[in-house]
Amino acid sequence: DMLNGDADGLPALHSGMAEAEWEEIFFAAYEDFCQRVDSGEETILDPYASEAPAEFFAVLTESFFEIPDVVAGEYPALYELLCRYYRQDPLARLTKAANASRTSAS
């Protein structure tokens, strides 16, 4: 997040990724999350993410890899954006692994 200056939730983006698109999707999700936390809602994502956009980026990045189904379920547009940013799809791997487990158990 700090490659392009301050930690602000806007990392240096790959070519083909627009800063305006990142800001629109990322900050909409951040604002939604903050409202949910401020209203007292219990969230699966760590409420610490509401402290600042940089923390939201850090928590969402960790969650993207560890609990991708939660991120994709709660913020699908942000999940897709993170897939493009990290150039991978952890949910696809999780789904593939789950299907393989079911197949081998049969």
Side-chain angles (χ1 to χ4, degrees), residues 42-57:
E42 291 207 22
T43 60
I44 296 172
L45 299 171
D46 187 342
Y48 181 71
S50 69
E51 292 295 315
E55 298 304 339
F56 187 67
F57 179 66

Side-chain angles (χ1 to χ4, degrees), residues 26-97:
F26 179 85
F27 288 106
Y30 174 66
E31 288 175 18
D32 175 75
F33 186 74
C34 289
Q35 288 175 352
R36 292 171 58 200
V37 169
D38 290 347
S39 73
E41 180 181 332
E42 291 207 22
T43 60
I44 296 172
L45 299 171
D46 187 342
Y48 181 71
S50 69
E51 292 295 315
E55 298 304 339
F56 187 67
F57 179 66
V59 169
L60 264 287
T61 290
E62 181 180 357
S63 300
F64 174 76
F65 290 106
E66 292 185 354
I67 49 172
D69 50 329
V70 172
V71 177
E74 294 198 14
Y75 298 108
L78 181 55
Y79 181 83
E80 291 301 321
L81 193 65
L82 291 170
C83 284
R84 290 184 11 236
Y85 178 72
Y86 288 112
R87 297 178 175 166
Q88 53 187 298
D89 186 350
L91 184 55
R93 284 194 305 272
L94 183 67
T95 303
K96 185 176 179 180

